[in-house]
Structure formats: structure tokens, C-alpha cells
Amino acid sequence: MSTKVITFGTYDVFHVGHVNILTRAHDLGDHLTVGVSTDAMNFSKKGRYPVYRQEHRLEIVASMACVDEVFIEESLDLKRQYLIDHKADILVMGNDWEGRFDEFKDICEVKYLPRTDDISTTDIIQDIRSRIDD
Ligand code: CTP
């Protein structure tokens, strides 16, 4: 039987940390689904809109060879439903989320993978800002 893996994120200003987690998530199973969060979700979580709008973030993630399926994640509260709808066997998240999704261990395996060091969307935006200010 094939193993379905699912992961979620914003994937704004797509970078190598995103490539690494998606590649490693894919390697854990046979089929990788990625939920890409809405612009509104990002605003409510981080107080800023993403640089790239959700349709473009979705298209970028979908273009990865390791990604089989993508969808727009409308709400954090629907996580359980998404896992059920997509028949997920494994939920993968970066270890910045360690423990935060353990409540779903009743319906799938939950794995937290180590983040790639020294890169994040927030840092990239900050770096670009500081170059402009200089
Ligand atoms: N991720 C990772 N390594 C990084 C950055 C992100 O493994 N250096 C993972 C996160 O753990 C998450 C996925 O990539 O599972 C999507 O993360 P996202 O929040 O979109 O990216 P960040 O770069 O962390 O964005 P921000 O700085 O805005 O929080």
C-alpha cells in the first residue's frame, strides 16, 4: 500500500529550506501533498502579508518534482479535516513546530524534521530591507 505524506506552510519567498523539507517529506512516502496557507492566515499569524500572493506560492510549490498535490490551507482549525480528506499517513512539519501537532497522532504519524540552518523568509526580507536602507 502506498504511503501518503502531507505537510503545510506558507512557502513565501521560496528558499532552500523549503526545498529541503519538501524533498525530505517526499522521501518518507510515495505521495506528497502540500497545504499552502492563505495570505489571510499569514497576516493573522505574522502581522504581515506574504511577499508572494497565495496563487503564486501554490504554483511554485506545485512545480517541485517531489510534490504530487497542492491545495490552499484556509484555516488552522481545519487541520484534522485536511488530514482525513487527503488520507494522510504521515504529517511532516519542521521542528520549529515540535510538539504542536501531537494531537493528530490518533489519526496519522506525526514527524518533525530538523529545519535547515540559517535561512528563513523573515531573515531574507530583513536582509533585503537592510540592503536598501544602506
Ligand atoms: N523550514 C525548514 N527550514 C527552514 C525554513 C523553513 O525546514 N530554514 C520549513 C518549516 O519548518 C515549515 C516549512 O519549511 O515546515 C514552511 O515554512 P515557512 O514558515 O513557510 O518558512 P519560513 O522560512 O520559516 O518562514 P518565516 O520566516 O516567515 O517564518
Side-chain angles (χ1 to χ4, degrees):
M1 214 185 77
S2 85
T3 302
K4 293 191 83 180
V5 183
I6 195 166
T7 190
F8 297 85
T10 308
Y11 306 98
D12 188 26
V13 190
F14 199 83
H15 59 67
V16 74
H18 297 148
V19 173
N20 288 339
I21 195 142
L22 293 175
T23 307
R24 285 179 295 159
H26 166 266
D27 290 347
L28 293 173
D30 307 297
H31 181 279
L32 176 61
T33 302
V34 185
V36 176
S37 56
T38 59
D39 295 340
M41 265 178 79
N42 205 72
F43 185 80
S44 67
K45 207 165 63 185
K46 295 178 185 167
R48 63 167 167 80
Y49 283 104
V51 177
Y52 299 163
R53 71 180 80 123
Q54 63 197 49
E55 294 79 10
H56 290 183
R57 291 184 284 108
L58 188 83
E59 206 174 319
I60 290 165
V61 171
S63 75
M64 297 279 295
C66 64
V67 173
D68 299 291
E69 199 178 331
V70 290
F71 69 97
I72 290 285
E73 180 190 16
E74 301 280 351
S75 164
L76 275 181
D77 298 335
L78 293 174
K79 194 80 85 207
R80 180 172 290 273
Q81 200 52 52
Y82 292 135
L83 297 175
I84 294 166
D85 290 349
H86 292 278
K87 299 183 169 50
D89 299 299
I90 307 174
L91 167 61
V92 167
M93 294 300 296
N95 62 357
D96 44 325
W97 294 92
E98 189 76 52
R100 305 262 295 276
F101 294 98
D102 287 356
E103 64 186 283
F104 302 121
K105 283 184 174 171
D106 59 332
I107 53 169
C108 65
E109 200 178 325
V110 180
K111 282 192 191 246
Y112 303 98
L113 302 183
R115 274 173 74 90
T116 303
D117 288 337
D118 300 328
I119 189 154
S120 78
T121 299
T122 306
D123 288 353
I124 293 168
I125 293 171
Q126 271 311 116
D127 184 34
I128 294 168
R129 270 214 181 102
S130 69
R131 287 169 194 232
I132 292 167
D133 293 343
D134 280 351

